[in-house]
Amino acid sequence: MHGDNGTEAFMLLLRWVKSYLPENQQVYLQCLRGGAYVLRKWSDAFSRLYCRFTLLVSRFNADQIEALRAVPRHRLLLETDAPYFPLEGRDFSSPSILRYTAEAVASLRKENPLDLMRQAAMNADDLFQCPK
């Protein structure tokens, strides 16, 4: 819904997931749009929480930006969520726009986009246990 950052949905999901998963379970939140409260509650519940962000960060409010900045660097992931969240002026997204996601996230976190992409790739390898 327009203007909804999903706080209620994220919190209901957390309540349900906590009853099934151990605290040390690797978990990732796809397309995180919740604010600092949501991030804090999920981080408290799961010590191995990863957060994935899309180009939606370009429309984040101050609370959502605070949450984005609070995600530890070694737990941050990038995504395009293609075909959704296209670049302005385009009808759909594709994996090829990951660079723009990295630039948007890096700008808000005051980091170098290329360094952030490298870190996010290492984080994905860690989360999904990809062979080196």
Side-chain angles (χ1 to χ4, degrees):
M1 291 175 36
H2 182 70
D4 178 26
N5 68 7
T7 296
E8 183 177 1
F10 279 115
M11 298 312 297
L12 287 171
L13 180 61
L14 175 61
R15 183 173 164 218
W16 183 79
V17 170
K18 278 175 41 175
S19 66
Y20 291 97
L21 298 176
E23 185 272 343
N24 65 342
Q25 173 71 45
Q26 285 182 305
V27 172
Y28 77 87
L29 294 178
Q30 180 181 3
C31 196
L32 181 62
R33 295 181 320 273
Y37 174 78
V38 169
L39 177 64
R40 187 172 49 257
K41 290 298 189 182
W42 276 85
S43 295
D44 289 348
F46 297 103
S47 61
R48 298 169 72 193
L49 177 71
Y50 291 80
C51 299
R52 290 172 48 171
F53 295 93
T54 67
L55 269 176
L56 280 179
V57 300
S58 61
R59 293 185 252 161
F60 273 13
N61 63 34
D63 185 42
Q64 292 168 307
I65 292 170
E66 179 185 346
L68 171 65
R69 290 177 177 162
V71 173
R73 202 163 191 273
H74 68 285
R75 297 287 192 232
L76 189 133
L77 300 166
L78 302 171
E79 67 175 308
T80 62
D81 206 16
Y84 310 105
F85 314 121
L87 290 171
E88 191 171 322
R90 298 209 181 150
D91 293 330
F92 57 88
S93 173
S94 72
S96 65
I97 70 158
L98 188 62
R99 170 186 146 213
Y100 300 103
T101 301
E103 289 172 352
V105 170
S107 175
L108 292 171
R109 288 176 57 97
K110 299 178 176 33
E111 295 185 32
N112 178 289
L114 187 55
D115 291 342
L116 185 67
M117 285 186 80
R118 285 185 187 118
Q119 181 67 53
M122 290 188 304
N123 297 347
D125 285 349
D126 180 52
L127 173 62
F128 297 110
Q129 300 173 7
C130 298
K132 302 264 187 268

